[in-house]
Amino acid sequence: MNQIENIHSIKKPVSTPIATLTLGLFTALVLTTVLNGYVDLKSIFNKLSAVENYNVSLSANLANANTVTVDKWHPGIYAKIEDWQLQNPKQMEMVYQELADTPQLRGIKVIAKWGRYETYSTTTNTSTYDFSQIDAILAKLATLDNKHLILAVPWREFKSSLGASEVLPNDLRGGQLWSEDPDWIHTDYDYMWAYKMSNKPGQYAYNLKLWDPVVKSRLDAFLAALAQHVDGNPNFNHITATESSIGNPVIPFVTGEGTELQEDGQIEVLRMMKRHFVDSYVIPDFNYSRQHVADSIPILVAEGMGLGTSDSNYGTGLNTTSTPPGILTYFPTLSGQIILAPEIQSGNYISSSYDSGSVADYPSYESLYKRVRDDLKANYVVMQRNFPFWLGNATTTSVLSFLQTYPDIVNDPTEAGGLDHLKPAMLNTEVPPPLPMPDLSFNASPTEVLSGESAVLTWSATNSTACEATGVWSGTKSLEG
């Protein structure tokens, strides 16, 4: 297929999963409540029928072609804003001024931590979302010339003073031994909804338990709300997640947990993004494991997602040609097929390999730029706004100054900063959009029982092709019963 530039209507691929309906916590919730005595079953069904609550994981079939009318194709160089900068108004004013002064910067990337934007009420069993911070960024970018926003929703929190809490909404922050860690020492334990990786002092991290139906259904609802809020905004460019490496659990995985389930959960989250962000690109960051990368690349290509990575250095694990190969070996082979978006992280400013035991050789900014442009065939590049490198000091030259003066970047008439500005094949293919989400309802007769009494439970589902129950009540079920 020919590559096409400057097409206003984007015809974007979306994933095509078989519609499924999973019922997990229903039985446990009913049994637990009944054993505690008198129960109003109507209140249980109100909880179970809400997708954003705790029990339902849903996906839909797809049908009919759709043409998106918002052109989101803005390749080029973006600045990655560190979290402390995002929370500092003075720093953000500096960022906006840098964007205004630097036509070569197409926009910024920020980390959108789920727990900062959702508040769940245990009284009403509903979530509210406050995206005012994101609104303010988009409003400011709209006043500048052709500047755009990339959002990364992390499925892990690394080195946060608040542990796992910032990647989880307020009601999911509790867990085993929570009260025994009042000083946030981060001893060896997991939260109920996130597990700890890394035992090194000051280097702890937590991953969302992406195998858990509660986490997945709530995260799906959050992404739906976020997409409804920003997807149609012309200054919003694409959504991503943090790197795919899941690390090693401090507490060993048990039955029902595990590396494979976590990695499968990552793919599920990316498909959620693809389903909800119909006007914007989905460009996930991958690095490890190499087998997970090898399994995921065909999915990204087939389902119209791009490929990013958090490092673009010459480290052995990222560049090995053994089987399975390193993530960076895929980039040149996928040029022209999907959107390619490597990052230049702070460690890349220090070392050209950044492996364990690597030396600090401080590669030139020109070599870093040519690495992503020539070797990795990038369409988008995100460069971390890290000090002292970004602005420079007495011993370090400035990344920003380099971007403002390097001829190959400054003199590119396409505004892509010398990167590959041709739209890849994934943006020129008609594919069907998703059908409405499956709808699930429960009923009981009678609606009120005492401990030891029984009730007849019925359910029905629409926009679904299968029903699978888990837990005490398990197996394949009919769509109604």
Side-chain angles (χ1 to χ4, degrees):
M1 183 174 292
N2 293 331
Q3 295 174 323
I4 302 175
E5 299 178 58
N6 300 322
I7 294 180
H8 183 68
S9 296
I10 296 178
K11 300 175 180 179
K12 296 175 68 272
V14 287
S15 59
T16 56
I18 298 299
T20 60
L21 179 151
T22 303
L23 312 179
L25 296 183
F26 174 77
T27 302
L29 179 59
V30 171
L31 291 177
T32 299
T33 308
V34 170
L35 289 174
N36 286 338
Y38 178 85
V39 58
D40 181 356
L41 291 176
K42 289 185 290 185
S43 65
I44 294 177
F45 296 131
N46 288 338
K47 296 178 182 178
L48 291 172
S49 297
V51 171
E52 68 269 21
N53 295 340
Y54 298 108
N55 64 306
V56 185
S57 175
L58 301 170
S59 59
N61 280 321
L62 310 170
N64 305 321
N66 179 52
T67 300
V68 178
T69 58
V70 179
D71 189 357
K72 297 294 183 84
W73 183 242
H74 302 291
I77 302 171
Y78 289 67
K80 181 179 181 179
I81 308 306
E82 296 182 336
D83 193 61
W84 72 271
Q85 299 167 3
L86 178 64
Q87 305 307 318
N88 187 318
K90 291 184 178 180
Q91 281 292 320
M92 290 305 295
E93 285 304 314
M94 291 178 62
V95 168
Y96 296 134
Q97 189 60 54
E98 291 166 6
L99 289 173
D101 295 340
T102 314
Q104 297 78 23
L105 277 176
R106 300 303 298 271
I108 58 176
K109 174 181 178 178
V110 302
I111 306 299
K113 297 181 180 180
W114 176 17
R116 289 180 177 169
Y117 303 102
E118 176 179 348
T119 302
Y120 185 83
S121 170
T122 56
T123 302
T124 62
N125 297 313
T126 57
S127 288
T128 57
Y129 303 96
D130 181 0
F131 297 120
S132 57
Q133 181 187 57
I134 297 172
D135 290 340
I137 295 172
L138 288 169
K140 186 64 178 182
L141 294 180
T143 67
L144 304 174
D145 183 24
N146 199 25
K147 306 297 182 181
H148 307 278
L149 175 65
I150 301 168
L151 286 179
V153 177
W155 44 45
R156 79 174 190 176
E157 180 73 84
F158 194 62
K159 293 184 178 180
S160 169
S161 61
L162 297 180
S165 66
E166 292 187 287
V167 291
L168 287 165
N170 60 303
D171 65 308
L172 299 185
R173 293 176 186 171
Q176 63 188 72
L177 299 183
W178 173 269
S179 62
E180 298 181 24
D181 192 19
D183 298 320
W184 295 94
I185 300 172
H186 296 275
T187 51
D188 295 351
Y189 70 91
D190 290 345
Y191 295 103
M192 189 177 295
W193 312 109
Y195 71 89
K196 183 183 179 185
M197 48 175 281
S198 177
N199 247 339
K200 297 178 181 179
Q203 295 187 25
Y204 53 80
Y206 288 89
N207 277 332
L208 297 178
K209 294 181 178 179
L210 295 180
W211 60 78
D212 191 291
V214 173
V215 173
K216 289 190 290 187
S217 62
R218 289 284 298 277
L219 185 55
D220 187 45
F222 169 74
L223 291 171
L226 179 61
Q228 185 178 27
H229 204 75
V230 304
D231 190 34
N233 190 304
N235 294 100
F236 176 72
N237 191 263
H238 68 259
I239 187 80
T240 181
T242 46
E243 60 191 60
S244 58
S245 175
I246 70 169
N248 296 312
V250 171
I251 299 177
F253 290 133
V254 298
T255 303
E257 304 176 347
T259 298
E260 184 176 351
L261 291 173
Q262 182 71 4
E263 292 175 343
D264 289 346
Q266 290 182 354
I267 297 300
E268 288 189 62
V269 172
L270 298 180
R271 284 172 166 157
M272 293 174 194
M273 291 179 175
K274 189 67 179 174
R275 183 171 67 248
H276 297 309
F277 288 82
V278 296
D279 288 353
S280 308
Y281 309 130
V282 177
I283 311 177
D285 284 355
F286 276 80
N287 53 359
Y288 297 104
S289 69
R290 298 203 307 269
Q291 186 59 57
H292 180 36
V293 171
D295 294 338
S296 301
I297 293 292
I299 296 173
L300 302 184
V301 173
E303 300 185 13
M305 291 182 252
L307 176 64
T309 187
S310 54
D311 280 292
S312 53
N313 60 48
Y314 292 94
T316 303
L318 300 174
N319 295 276
T320 181
T321 56
S322 62
T323 302
I327 178 65
L328 296 182
T329 65
Y330 292 92
F331 277 74
T333 66
L334 293 172
S335 177
Q337 297 183 55
I338 63 175
I339 301 173
L340 300 175
E343 289 195 8
I344 298 174
Q345 294 276 31
S346 58
N348 302 153
Y349 300 140
I350 299 172
S351 173
S352 55
S353 62
Y354 208 57
D355 276 332
S356 176
S358 61
V359 298
D361 56 357
Y362 298 99
S364 69
Y365 303 142
E366 179 183 35
S367 68
L368 294 174
Y369 167 75
K370 288 186 175 180
R371 165 71 167 156
V372 295
R373 183 192 68 181
D374 300 338
D375 297 345
L376 304 183
K377 310 298 182 184
N379 306 113
Y380 287 71
V381 168
V382 176
M383 303 185 72
Q384 189 165 356
R385 189 178 183 270
N386 175 265
F387 299 134
F389 305 101
W390 187 257
L391 296 180
N393 59 18
T395 60
T396 304
T397 59
S398 165
V399 173
L400 182 61
S401 177
F402 169 78
L403 297 177
Q404 293 171 336
T405 58
Y406 189 66
D408 290 6
I409 297 175
V410 174
N411 297 327
D412 182 1
T414 71
E415 299 183 319
L419 305 180
D420 185 357
H421 65 282
L422 297 177
K423 285 186 175 181
M426 64 172 274
L427 302 186
N428 305 319
T429 304
E430 288 192 12
V431 292
L435 283 173
M437 285 289 291
D439 181 62
L440 174 67
S441 63
F442 287 97
N443 290 287
S445 179
T447 59
E448 298 178 354
V449 295
L450 296 174
S451 178
E453 296 180 343
S454 61
V456 176
L457 313 179
T458 60
W459 72 95
S460 63
T462 56
N463 297 326
S464 303
T465 60
C467 175
E468 186 76 19
T470 60
V472 180
W473 182 59
S474 62
T476 301
K477 307 296 180 182
S478 64
L479 294 178
E480 57 184 30

